[in-house]
Amino acid sequence: MSVHRLLPKLTTNRQFVNDFLGAKAPCFALGMVEERQQTLGLLALRPPKAIPQDVMDPGFNFGHTLLGNADFEVVHFAFEFYGFATYNVLLNPSNPLVRAVLAKMIDRSEYFFLAVMPDQGVTAFRSDIGQKNLTVLKDNWARIQGSTTNDVQYQKALREFQEHPYPPGQILSWVCREKLEYLDLTKDRMDLTPSAPQGTPSPDGEQLAIAKLLDDKVNQFTQTGGNDNLMLLTNMAPYMPLFHRLMEISGEGEIDKLCVTYLGLYRYAKVLERLAMGIRSGEVKVPR
C-alpha cells in the first residue's frame, strides 16, 4: 500500500485498517493516527472511483454541519473535490467513537485525511482546519456530548438527507463505528511507512493547479452572466482558503505572472484587492 503526499511514518490500529479495507465501498470511517508522537483524528474515505492526482493537488473543501431538530441531531461532513465530486457522510454524535474523534479534532484544530482508492493506492495528508473553521462543532459541543440520538432517528435523518442531499453529491456509508478499540494505538499497532511517489506534486505544480481551478470557477460564473462583483465574492466564498494557500506558496511577483495567464484569477484577485482597500479606508464597513 503506497501513501502519497506525506513522508513521516504513520501509526494506526491494525484491526481498524483491516475492517475498513474489508467494508463495502464507497464508505467512510473515523479513527486515530499517530505521527511524530502526536495523536490526531483520522478521517478515512474510500471513494467509488479513483481521485486523480491533479484533483488532489489543490486539496479539497471540508464542510461540516449539525442536522436534526429539538429531539435529535446528526453530524454531517462534506468533502468537495473541486471540479470532480462531492462526498457526504452522516454520523451519530451519541456514538462514543464519534465523540472521541471530534473532541480530538477540536482540541488539535487539525486532522489526518486518508483516501484509499479502488486500486488500493492511498493518499494521506495532515490538514490544518483552524479553530475558526470548527465553529459549528464548538458552538454545539455541549449538545453533541449530551446527544441521545438513537439508530431509528439516525436512519430517519439519513433517509431524508438521501432524498435531498446538500451539497449535492454521493452519500458514503459510515463503517467501523462499533468498536472503541479502533482508536487504541497502544496495542495492535500498524505502521505505514510512506515513500515519495513519482507523482508527488512540486510547489510549482500545486501553484498551477490552484490557479487553474480558481480561474475556471470565475470563468464559469462569468459565462452564466455573472458581472456583479459582490455576487462573485459570494460565489467564490468556498474557495477563499485556496486563494490564501496560493498566496502562501507564491513568491514575490508570481501572482502577477499567473494573472497574466489566467484572466479569471486576475479578476478575482482584483476584486479581493479592492475589497481589502475598502476595508482599510473605512469605505467598506465590517460588522463587529
Side-chain angles (χ1 to χ4, degrees):
M1 196 181 284
S2 61
V3 180
H4 295 182
R5 301 190 63 176
L6 190 73
L7 297 183
K9 182 177 71 174
L10 310 177
T11 300
T12 188
N13 181 278
R14 184 182 305 276
Q15 189 62 54
F16 168 77
V17 173
N18 290 340
D19 289 352
F20 179 58
L21 294 180
K24 183 179 179 180
C27 59
F28 172 88
L30 293 172
M32 292 287 188
V33 66
E34 180 184 289
E35 186 260 333
R36 293 193 179 104
Q37 298 183 328
Q38 294 181 335
T39 302
L40 297 174
L42 174 66
L43 309 186
L45 182 152
R46 290 178 61 201
K49 55 185 177 181
I51 303 173
Q53 190 61 50
D54 62 342
V55 173
M56 279 291 193
D57 285 348
F60 58 89
N61 182 35
F62 171 61
H64 65 284
T65 55
L66 197 68
L67 306 176
N69 54 36
D71 298 322
F72 72 93
E73 53 284 314
V74 296
V75 175
H76 165 233
F77 283 170
F79 303 87
E80 180 192 4
F81 294 90
Y82 304 106
F84 180 75
T86 297
Y87 301 114
N88 296 291
V89 63
L90 296 188
L91 309 170
N92 186 342
S94 70
N95 182 294
L97 188 150
V98 171
R99 290 181 188 169
V101 175
L102 294 183
K104 182 66 70 174
M105 290 173 64
I106 292 174
D107 178 58
R108 296 303 305 269
S109 298
E110 56 185 345
Y111 64 91
F112 260 95
F113 173 79
L114 184 76
V116 182
M117 306 303 175
D119 62 1
Q120 297 301 300
V122 176
T123 293
F125 56 85
R126 189 170 179 161
S127 180
D128 180 0
I129 42 182
Q131 287 293 323
K132 66 180 181 179
N133 294 322
L134 291 172
T135 302
V136 173
L137 294 180
K138 291 179 63 181
D139 289 351
N140 293 280
W141 185 238
R143 182 173 181 180
I144 290 171
Q145 284 185 304
S147 175
T148 59
T149 301
N150 58 43
D151 190 59
V152 172
Q153 293 167 326
Y154 170 77
Q155 293 297 334
K156 179 177 182 292
L158 183 60
R159 287 194 302 271
E160 292 176 350
F161 189 87
Q162 288 171 335
E163 292 175 1
H164 304 286
Y166 187 82
Q170 183 160 3
I171 301 172
L172 304 179
S173 298
W174 171 32
V175 300
C176 300
R177 56 170 115 168
E178 301 301 334
K179 299 179 181 178
L180 269 176
E181 293 83 2
Y182 288 145
L183 307 184
D184 187 356
L185 302 184
T186 64
K187 55 187 178 181
D188 200 18
R189 291 162 62 90
M190 180 177 182
D191 292 336
L192 303 176
T193 306
S195 59
Q198 294 181 352
T200 299
S202 66
D204 286 347
E206 182 184 6
Q207 188 184 65
L208 291 174
I210 295 175
K212 186 177 186 306
L213 188 147
L214 293 173
D215 182 71
D216 287 343
K217 292 296 180 182
V218 175
N219 289 335
Q220 289 171 16
F221 173 77
T222 303
Q223 289 166 6
T224 58
N227 294 313
D228 183 84
N229 287 337
L230 181 59
M231 287 300 298
L232 173 64
L233 289 174
T234 301
N235 192 70
M236 293 294 292
Y239 306 99
M240 180 65 79
L242 277 181
F243 186 81
H244 284 309
R245 175 60 180 165
L246 182 62
M247 297 290 289
E248 289 174 354
I249 62 176
S250 299
E252 184 177 356
E254 289 184 333
I255 294 290
D256 291 339
K257 292 179 181 178
L258 289 170
C259 285
V260 172
T261 303
Y262 301 105
L263 298 183
L265 174 64
Y266 171 77
R267 178 186 174 186
Y268 184 45
K270 294 302 290 184
V271 170
L272 290 175
E273 181 182 35
R274 286 195 290 268
L275 176 63
M277 292 174 60
I279 293 173
R280 286 196 298 268
S281 68
E283 181 180 348
V284 176
K285 304 299 182 183
V286 178
R288 297 185 180 276

